[in-house]
């Protein structure tokens, strides 16, 4: 993989089409993936400036903020996106994982309950009921590994934490 070329092409696309929503969306994904979080957030904010009523633009911002580990800000961006265009489980999932990473299990449970029961992103049962699976002695969630999570044109792409006991492989998550 040629990350340097990817960055050059992303920046060239931004220079050629600085107000194209598709370029801005893709650039924010590329920039955050390449480790340019501040620049990705600027691009996401430009996307919102083009259309402040776009739920997808606010969802893109939420995904960037989540990737920057700014979980409270990500939740706020998800809530704004939900006001503008409710019902996207990808956004709800970002908010749920953010609450979980902030140690707010009950708020995470509420978020996940809003996700349709047939959606793979819905977490219930043992994953949320047993705090020893989710927290260290300091009360913070300890991700064991991350997986890429892509929702092709359904919403933002995020890295999600997969949690479980350290002495065993990942615990199964039951769908309600």
């Amino acid at each position: 993989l040629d990350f340097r070329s990817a960055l050059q092409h992303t920046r060239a696309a931004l220079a050629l089409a600085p107000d194209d929503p598709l370029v801005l969306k893709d650039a924010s994904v590329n920039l955050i993936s390449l480790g340019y979080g501040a620049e990705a957030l600027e691009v996401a904010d430009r996307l919102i400036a083009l259309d402040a009523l776009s739920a997808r633009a606010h969802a893109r911002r939420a995904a960037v903020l989540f990737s920057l580990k700014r979980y409270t800000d990500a939740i706020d961006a998800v809530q704004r996106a939900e006001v503008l265009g409710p019902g996207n489980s990808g956004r709800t999932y970002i908010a749920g994982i953010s609450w979980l990473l902030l140690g707010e299990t009950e708020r995470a449970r509420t978020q996940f309950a809003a996700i349709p029961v047939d959606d793979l992103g819905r977490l219930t049962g043992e994953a949320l009921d047993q705090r020893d699976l989710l927290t260290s002695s300091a009360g913070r969630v300890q991700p064991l590994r991350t997986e890429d999570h892509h929702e092709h044109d359904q919403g933002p792409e995020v890295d999600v934490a997969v949690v479980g006991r350290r002495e065993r492989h990942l615990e199964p998550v039951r769908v309600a």
Side-chain angles (χ1 to χ4, degrees):
L1 299 173
D2 188 353
F3 296 109
R4 182 171 290 141
S5 288
L7 181 60
Q8 289 171 345
H9 288 292
T10 296
R11 289 185 173 150
L14 285 169
L16 291 170
D19 294 330
D20 184 318
L22 291 176
V23 170
L24 293 171
K25 179 189 83 68
D26 290 345
S28 70
V29 172
N30 293 347
L31 290 166
I32 199 70
S33 298
L34 294 169
Y36 292 85
E39 193 174 345
L41 186 56
E42 289 174 16
V43 170
D45 286 342
R46 282 178 29 206
L47 189 58
I48 291 172
L50 287 177
D51 185 359
L53 298 178
S54 168
R56 284 184 180 230
H58 288 276
R60 172 86 321 261
R61 186 172 199 276
V64 170
L65 290 165
F66 180 87
S67 294
L68 293 171
K69 298 179 176 20
R70 291 176 50 187
Y71 304 121
T72 303
D73 293 333
I75 292 166
D76 291 342
V78 165
Q79 290 171 344
R80 178 72 179 143
E82 282 298 303
V83 166
L84 296 170
N88 182 296
S89 59
R91 295 190 302 248
T92 304
Y93 188 72
I94 288 174
I97 292 293
S98 294
W99 283 121
L100 200 57
L101 292 169
L102 289 169
E104 297 282 346
T105 307
E106 289 306 314
R107 287 184 169 182
R109 184 186 318 275
T110 300
Q111 285 294 150
F112 291 126
I115 297 174
V117 294
D118 61 342
D119 192 299
L120 293 177
R122 184 170 183 185
L123 296 178
T124 61
E126 190 173 303
L128 292 175
D129 288 335
Q130 295 187 19
R131 296 219 13 116
D132 67 317
L133 292 178
L134 301 175
T135 59
S136 70
S137 59
R140 294 186 182 265
V141 172
Q142 299 297 312
L144 296 182
R145 63 185 176 96
T146 60
E147 296 178 349
D148 288 332
H149 173 72
H150 300 284
E151 296 185 13
H152 306 284
D153 295 322
Q154 295 292 319
E157 297 80 24
V158 298
D159 291 331
V160 296
V162 179
V163 295
R165 295 178 191 259
R166 291 185 188 275
E167 67 273 10
R168 290 192 281 177
H169 194 55
L170 298 174
E171 296 288 326
V173 176
R174 286 180 267 151
V175 176

